[in-house]
Amino acid sequence: MSKRLRSSEVCADCSGPDPSWASVNRGTFICDECCSVHRSLGRHISQVRHLKHTPWPPTLLQMVETLYNNGANSIWEHSLLDPTSIMSGRRKANPQDKVHPNKAEFIRAKYQMLAFVHRLPCRDDDSVTAKDLSKQLHSSVRTGNLETCLRLLSLGAQANFFHPEKGNTPLHVASKAGQILQAELLAVYGADPGTQDSSGKTPVDYARQGGHHELAERLVEIQYELTDRLAFYLCGRKPDHKNGQHFIIPQMADSSLDLSELAKAAKKKLQSLSNHLFEELAMDVYDEVDRRETDAVWLATQNHSTLVTETTVVPFLPVNPEYSSTRNQGRQKLARFNAHEFATLVIDILSDAKRRQQGSPLSSSKDNVELILKTISNQHSVESQDNDQPDYDSVASDEDTDPEATASKAHRQKSLDSDLSDGPVTVQEFLEVKNALVASEAKIQQLMKVNNNLSDELRIMQKKASRLEKQNSTPESDYDNTPNDRDLDDMGSSRKGRQRSSVWQSDSSGPDTAEPHVAPSPILPSTEDVIRKTEQITKNIQELLRAAQENKHDSYIPCSERIHVAVTEMAALFPKKPKSDMVRTSLRLLTSSAYRLQSECKKTLPGDPGPPTDIQLVTQQVIQCAYDIAKAAKQLVTITTKENNN
């Protein structure tokens, strides 16, 4: 829906004439130059929409207009307008000011720092203050006073506050009273239309019971806002919620990318994410869709003959300080996806959101591992490309990423088909997937990749390594991987005896007494010997992974023992006290990880005293140990090859 601007409307930030953008969550209208600063702050600070060239739900636009006309801007500039305030002498930006630094500094202070918002008197318990504000909000939403509710939200009232005495949320109250604009405002600040009150009813239920049909329909749209926006971005259509159609799943006309093993593995990873992580990813992709679409509108509406470099497109999602650095890096990396790649990701998210909401079963852990094992032999070419790109980049600066201003148009011009969903969907909760299982599968994939790379490197090094003369005598090692014999009593004393004698057969005094008298040695074993032992370790790790895949937990202990023997034999190749710090560090990681692996596998024994064993958590720890062993072995191969070739 378009907006017919009145000549009396001015930019809330610089008072410039004819503002053409709105900040939805701030309830203000802003000009092009000020909008460029708003966009650089990120959607967590300001959610901008063009008043004419962006599709608007009618009641959402009406809500912003009402706030603007009722002085919402005074909320954000309270102390500037108060003659008794120390801030009253600070000058507001004007249309003639430069965007940088003048307008930008003022806008950041106003919206990001909330420097001019009315402050409540300090109290000892901030949580009580927030609770009091939320209770006031709970009462206010039954009226039509939007500005009061926005003021409460700006001070810290929670849109999803559950009133302990009333047994419902502000959105329940607004829906029962038929206050559609209040519902729009609450939704902008994160209110969930699917929340149930103490009677099990949702805001949609109350709106329908009260005969507020327009509000009920709008609440359903808000409930599916994320998936609707993603679908509209790709094919320009939204589901028909009135007739029970809640999802549109576009399909790429060119599905060649979808057929690759890499794409299949990526979908498996997506499906195995916990609900929390999946929701985070979906929200990040939603923000990227908003960035790309707004960039396209921005460029289409600018006067290019006078366009200054100060007001440009936003090349990637701005940093949100509430998110981890890893998540912010991942969000920024979305800007590097080309049109085809990003469309594929959006379709995968839409498909999995529908699957989770309809309660379709997840692929099993076994299926995931089988896929990885099956594609091991085909991953070399894929990994050579994949390894060029890290999983996450460092947090980017404005100079790091080129803008993709035409991405939105490119997507919309693609030939897309639609697989339309029939029937209403009432299940609002996603399936719960244990984080431990997700972590286990991620480690399995990571470990299989390491093992695969290791095997490939070993073959290359076998061809290149010159056949060096084998050492006359096998050096002994001080890296005994049974540092605490008491912890391995259950494994059998005879087992310990064999392990110790194999390493210390020529040293009757034992490791602890001998070590101080041993001088550091620069001698390293031959590359061929290290490679041969590493291949044995890798083979045993593969067997352990297959046991994990097939849920053969009783195979953990024998597998770990074989790995332990192979690690002990490999450690025995090296000098008792290597001179190289890198060798010592790698050997410690190798042997200590083998010891930890045995300890973890021992937890699968029946009748073990203590709390019940969480087998998924044990599996996670087992895989982590196996990964560390493979990593250490790879390091030793690399070091030995390098030193022997020098």
Side-chain angles (χ1 to χ4, degrees):
M1 179 177 177
S2 64
K3 167 78 172 65
R4 184 178 298 278
L5 295 173
R6 295 188 294 271
S7 58
S8 60
E9 292 173 346
V10 297
C11 174
D13 297 335
C14 72
S15 302
D18 301 327
S20 54
W21 295 83
S23 175
V24 178
N25 58 323
R26 304 297 182 174
T28 58
F29 294 156
I30 52 180
C31 68
D32 282 1
E33 288 190 345
C34 291
C35 177
S36 69
V37 181
H38 277 248
R39 294 199 60 219
S40 70
L41 298 178
R43 293 189 74 252
H44 59 288
I45 302 295
S46 182
Q47 302 170 17
V48 299
R49 281 176 176 254
H50 196 277
L51 288 165
K52 291 183 177 179
H53 297 285
T54 300
W56 282 85
T59 51
L60 180 62
L61 178 56
Q62 186 182 349
M63 183 269 289
V64 179
E65 288 177 325
T66 303
L67 284 172
Y68 176 84
N69 293 329
N70 285 278
N73 195 43
S74 65
I75 295 173
W76 315 112
E77 296 182 357
H78 174 84
S79 58
L80 290 179
L81 304 173
D82 183 359
T84 65
S85 171
I86 59 174
M87 287 289 188
S88 60
R90 179 161 179 170
R91 184 178 70 83
K92 179 176 177 174
N94 63 54
Q96 288 73 40
D97 282 336
K98 291 183 177 181
V99 177
H100 299 285
N102 305 71
K103 289 185 178 181
E105 288 182 355
F106 174 75
I107 291 169
R108 288 193 182 97
K110 179 178 176 180
Y111 297 109
Q112 190 171 40
M113 308 304 295
L114 300 178
F116 317 124
V117 171
H118 174 62
R119 299 293 180 183
L120 293 175
C122 293
R123 296 179 59 170
D124 294 335
D125 190 349
D126 291 337
S127 64
V128 174
T129 301
K131 185 176 180 180
D132 291 343
L133 289 168
S134 299
K135 285 186 174 181
Q136 292 181 46
L137 177 67
H138 191 276
S139 300
S140 299
V141 293
R142 68 180 74 253
T143 72
N145 195 332
L146 286 177
E147 193 265 348
T148 297
C149 292
L150 180 61
R151 188 182 301 277
L152 291 167
L153 289 164
S154 74
L155 293 172
Q158 299 299 305
N160 271 319
F161 173 73
F162 192 88
H163 199 296
E165 289 84 23
K166 306 292 185 181
N168 56 16
T169 68
L171 191 55
H172 285 97
V173 176
S175 300
K176 189 174 183 179
Q179 294 289 348
I180 192 168
L181 300 187
Q182 294 281 23
E184 290 282 3
L185 177 60
L186 290 169
V188 166
Y189 276 81
D192 181 5
T195 300
Q196 295 182 352
D197 67 0
S198 56
S199 302
K201 293 182 179 179
T202 67
V204 179
D205 295 329
Y206 280 105
R208 286 174 177 159
Q209 288 177 7
H212 311 299
H213 301 298
E214 181 185 7
L215 173 56
E217 292 172 0
R218 176 63 185 140
L219 287 173
V220 173
E221 290 179 356
I222 291 172
Q223 200 167 351
Y224 291 94
E225 160 66 16
L226 190 151
T227 50
D228 283 4
R229 179 76 179 273
L230 299 188
F232 189 83
Y233 171 69
L234 290 180
C235 63
R237 294 190 298 113
K238 291 184 178 180
D240 185 1
H241 297 291
K242 293 180 182 179
N243 292 321
Q245 180 204 59
H246 297 304
F247 291 92
I248 292 179
I249 313 295
Q251 294 181 344
M252 299 295 295
D254 175 14
S255 60
S256 58
L257 184 62
D258 296 337
L259 299 177
S260 70
E261 294 295 341
L262 183 62
K264 291 178 182 178
K267 289 181 181 180
K268 287 283 187 181
K269 290 179 183 179
L270 186 70
Q271 292 173 359
S272 68
L273 288 177
S274 67
N275 294 322
H276 174 68
L277 292 177
F278 177 77
E279 288 168 0
E280 284 189 350
L281 175 61
M283 287 189 289
D284 294 345
V285 170
Y286 176 96
D287 287 349
E288 176 65 11
V289 165
D290 180 82
R291 184 195 70 82
R292 295 189 182 210
E293 287 193 327
T294 308
D295 270 352
V297 173
W298 176 267
L299 288 178
T301 56
Q302 297 302 296
N303 181 349
H304 292 275
S305 62
T306 60
L307 185 63
V308 293
T309 57
E310 286 184 306
T311 57
T312 58
V313 295
V314 177
F316 47 77
L317 290 174
V319 172
N320 185 339
E322 294 184 1
Y323 296 159
S324 67
S325 59
T326 300
R327 184 175 178 186
N328 275 311
Q329 291 159 2
R331 283 164 58 86
Q332 292 185 350
K333 192 171 182 180
L334 291 172
R336 298 171 60 179
F337 283 35
N338 63 33
H340 195 220
E341 292 167 342
F342 189 63
T344 301
L345 175 60
V346 170
I347 291 170
D348 286 347
I349 288 177
L350 284 169
S351 301
D352 208 51
K354 177 182 175 182
R355 178 189 64 78
R356 291 172 185 246
Q357 191 136 347
Q358 292 183 341
S360 301
L362 261 177
S363 298
S364 67
S365 169
K366 179 178 178 180
D367 291 339
N368 273 354
V369 181
E370 281 180 342
L371 173 67
I372 299 158
L373 292 172
K374 179 180 178 182
T375 57
I376 275 282
S377 60
N378 300 325
Q379 283 184 350
H380 294 297
S381 60
V382 174
E383 286 175 358
S384 64
Q385 303 170 8
D386 186 53
N387 289 339
D388 292 337
Q389 291 276 359
D391 288 338
Y392 293 101
D393 305 314
S394 58
V395 177
S397 63
D398 290 342
E399 291 79 18
D400 288 337
T401 312
D402 293 327
E404 293 184 312
T406 59
S408 179
K409 291 184 179 179
H411 286 308
R412 293 177 185 276
Q413 291 171 353
K414 274 195 170 290
S415 174
L416 298 164
D417 299 325
S418 297
D419 173 24
L420 304 182
S421 169
D422 297 325
V425 180
T426 58
V427 180
Q428 304 306 324
E429 292 288 331
F430 285 158
L431 294 175
E432 286 299 330
V433 181
K434 284 191 175 181
N435 285 333
L437 178 59
V438 174
S440 296
E441 293 180 0
K443 288 296 182 184
I444 288 174
Q445 296 182 41
Q446 192 176 19
L447 179 55
M448 296 305 295
K449 183 174 180 179
V450 169
N451 285 341
N452 187 51
N453 286 343
L454 182 59
S455 298
D456 196 31
E457 290 180 16
L458 293 178
R459 284 193 293 270
I460 294 174
M461 284 186 284
Q462 280 177 320
K463 294 178 181 178
K464 291 183 177 180
S466 60
R467 296 192 171 275
L468 302 178
E469 184 175 349
K470 194 172 182 179
Q471 304 295 328
N472 293 331
S473 61
T474 302
E476 295 177 345
S477 170
D478 63 348
Y479 294 94
D480 183 15
N481 46 1
T482 55
N484 188 343
D485 289 346
R486 291 191 305 272
D487 292 339
L488 287 181
D489 283 345
D490 292 340
M491 302 300 294
S493 58
S494 61
R495 180 67 187 163
K496 288 187 297 180
R498 289 197 302 272
Q499 291 165 353
R500 293 183 64 85
S501 63
S502 66
V503 179
W504 304 105
Q505 56 185 340
S506 61
D507 188 349
S508 58
S509 61
D512 297 332
T513 57
E515 184 176 76
H517 307 290
V518 177
S521 172
I523 300 174
L524 294 178
S526 71
T527 303
E528 286 185 343
D529 287 345
V530 176
I531 288 175
R532 186 164 56 253
K533 296 301 181 184
T534 301
E535 285 181 326
Q536 186 61 42
I537 292 173
T538 302
K539 178 183 176 182
N540 292 326
I541 287 177
Q542 294 279 4
E543 292 175 359
L544 178 63
L545 286 176
R546 288 189 171 85
Q549 169 206 349
E550 297 168 3
N551 295 323
K552 294 181 178 178
H553 306 127
D554 55 348
S555 298
Y556 281 13
I557 289 178
C559 284
S560 68
E561 289 186 355
R562 286 192 288 272
I563 293 172
H564 185 279
V565 171
V567 165
T568 301
E569 292 175 352
M570 182 167 179
L573 295 175
F574 289 83
K576 191 174 188 64
K577 199 169 184 179
K579 185 176 182 180
S580 167
D581 289 338
M582 293 178 63
V583 172
R584 288 200 300 271
T585 301
S586 298
L587 281 170
R588 287 194 188 99
L589 177 62
L590 180 74
T591 55
S592 64
S593 298
Y595 165 71
R596 286 191 298 110
L597 176 63
Q598 282 196 307
S599 298
E600 290 296 332
C601 291
K602 187 175 64 173
K603 295 177 182 178
T604 62
L605 287 172
D608 192 38
T613 300
D614 184 341
I615 196 65
Q616 290 181 339
L617 182 59
V618 170
T619 299
Q620 178 183 349
Q621 296 300 320
V622 164
I623 292 170
Q624 178 64 60
C625 294
Y627 171 74
D628 290 340
I629 293 170
K631 177 182 176 182
K634 180 178 179 180
Q635 290 172 349
L636 290 170
V637 170
T638 303
I639 295 169
T640 306
T641 303
K642 181 179 178 181
E643 293 297 324
N644 287 337
N645 287 339
N646 286 341

